[in-house]
Amino acid sequence: MRVISQQPVDATPDAAALHEVVPGVLAWVQPDGTWWLNNAGVVTGDDGVVLIDTCATERRTRRLLDAVRGATGDAAVRVAVNTHQHGDHAYGNSLLPDSTVIVGHEAMREGLRVDPIIDGCPPVWAPVPDWGGVRRRLPSITLRSELTVFTGERRVELRHPGYPAHTTGDVVAWLPEERVLFSGDLVFHGLTPLVFMGSVEGALRSLDWMAAFRPDHVVPGHGPLVDARALPEVLAAHERYYRLVLDTAERGRRDGLTPLEAAKRCDLGEFAGWADSERLVLNLHRAYLDAAGGGELDLLLAFGDAIAFHGGPLPTCV
């Protein structure tokens, strides 16, 4: 896999690179993929660029767009797809040209519309992210189940799994001819998955759904790129983690524990080395709520418990 454009290599999350997945299809990978450090995608064709996601901050999105211009000969970004509502994939929308058409799931659009974090981030992370000159920019085209976009003859199929998973409005971008899948945050490669705004059961179901595409390459929402040989184990690790969350929630509810108490009692085992282990608490809040019949998650309580589990504000480098 060839690196097209790269920032100076170092051991910090500031390193970022544009990789060629297959000819004309690129992935922007931001190590180490932790809080607010997402991946994005670039699909080129005769009619310009289809961009898959933006980034959290002005600085990071401008770096992405500069790299895209350099790799594509300044081709126009005709369409941008948001794989879900979270700011690391969508706050940079406003830095795209006015002519760029932004596409997302209808639930994603509504989630971004009411997202308060872009207006003033609470002190959950340290340092508190500096978004820079970004503003809320919503998709102008939405889908409910699927939509196909083209650049030239290159086909990009946008699919919703049909149920909540990472969020309620997840979309993958599938290139059937190239067999490349941009999974958004349905895949966290080597990091703790996050499903507190979706469903643990749905995230579990989505693993077989993604495997059924039989991709040769997967660009995850966070973490290193995945090829067909590695994908079965990556998905299997997700399955083991989600079952751990569900089992921990079941035992915790049975024993009258809060999600935080259940998380503290949980042996993470093979997942102890995954970054952002405090997400276990957030995922347990979702599992508890769904087991009780669903409803609106208390985000302040959930993040307060995550901070308590972590021992202080959550780390970020944006």
Side-chain angles (χ1 to χ4, degrees), residues 205-227:
R205 288 177 62 192
S206 76
L207 302 176
D208 286 342
W209 179 71
M210 287 186 289
F213 286 98
R214 300 180 64 187
D216 290 337
H217 305 277
V218 175
V219 180
H222 296 259
L225 305 179
V226 183
D227 61 20

Side-chain angles (χ1 to χ4, degrees), residues 19-80:
H19 299 260
E20 183 180 71
V21 181
V22 299
V25 179
L26 314 172
W28 180 251
V29 179
Q30 297 192 97
D32 55 359
T34 54
W35 289 105
W36 301 108
L37 300 177
N38 67 305
N39 297 334
V42 183
V43 179
T44 67
D46 292 343
D47 295 334
V49 170
V50 176
L51 187 68
I52 314 296
D53 285 326
T54 55
C55 301
T57 66
E58 177 183 9
R59 179 171 64 91
R60 286 187 172 273
T61 301
R62 291 200 185 282
R63 289 171 65 193
L64 164 63
L65 296 179
D66 286 346
V68 171
R69 280 191 288 270
T72 66
D74 205 21
V77 179
R78 301 293 189 189
V79 176

Side-chain angles (χ1 to χ4, degrees), residues 219-265:
V219 180
H222 296 259
L225 305 179
V226 183
D227 61 20
R229 183 170 54 183
L231 182 61
E233 174 51 31
V234 170
L235 297 181
H238 280 65
E239 178 179 359
R240 294 192 298 271
Y241 177 80
Y242 293 141
R243 295 200 183 280
L244 174 66
V245 173
L246 291 171
D247 290 346
T248 301
E250 182 180 2
R251 289 193 302 269
R253 295 181 75 245
R254 180 196 63 206
D255 295 342
L257 303 179
T258 67
L260 176 57
E261 291 167 339
K264 289 181 175 179
R265 183 183 288 188

Side-chain angles (χ1 to χ4, degrees), residues 168-295:
T168 57
D170 301 306
V171 167
V172 301
W174 168 238
L175 280 64
E177 295 299 323
E178 296 80 4
R179 309 208 66 77
V180 176
L181 183 69
F182 291 89
S183 71
D185 283 3
L186 295 178
V187 177
F188 285 79
H189 184 196
L191 302 100
T192 305
L194 183 65
V195 296
F196 75 118
M197 296 183 75
S199 163
V200 185
E201 293 279 6
L204 190 57
R205 288 177 62 192
S206 76
L207 302 176
D208 286 342
W209 179 71
M210 287 186 289
F213 286 98
R214 300 180 64 187
D216 290 337
H217 305 277
V218 175
V219 180
H222 296 259
L225 305 179
V226 183
D227 61 20
R229 183 170 54 183
L231 182 61
E233 174 51 31
V234 170
L235 297 181
H238 280 65
E239 178 179 359
R240 294 192 298 271
Y241 177 80
Y242 293 141
R243 295 200 183 280
L244 174 66
V245 173
L246 291 171
D247 290 346
T248 301
E250 182 180 2
R251 289 193 302 269
R253 295 181 75 245
R254 180 196 63 206
D255 295 342
L257 303 179
T258 67
L260 176 57
E261 291 167 339
K264 289 181 175 179
R265 183 183 288 188
C266 177
D267 179 3
L268 283 169
E270 65 177 300
F271 310 114
W274 279 2
D276 308 323
S277 60
E278 67 279 350
R279 292 176 178 170
L280 172 64
V281 186
L282 299 169
N283 296 333
L284 285 171
H285 269 274
R286 171 52 60 189
Y288 269 52
L289 187 62
D290 286 351

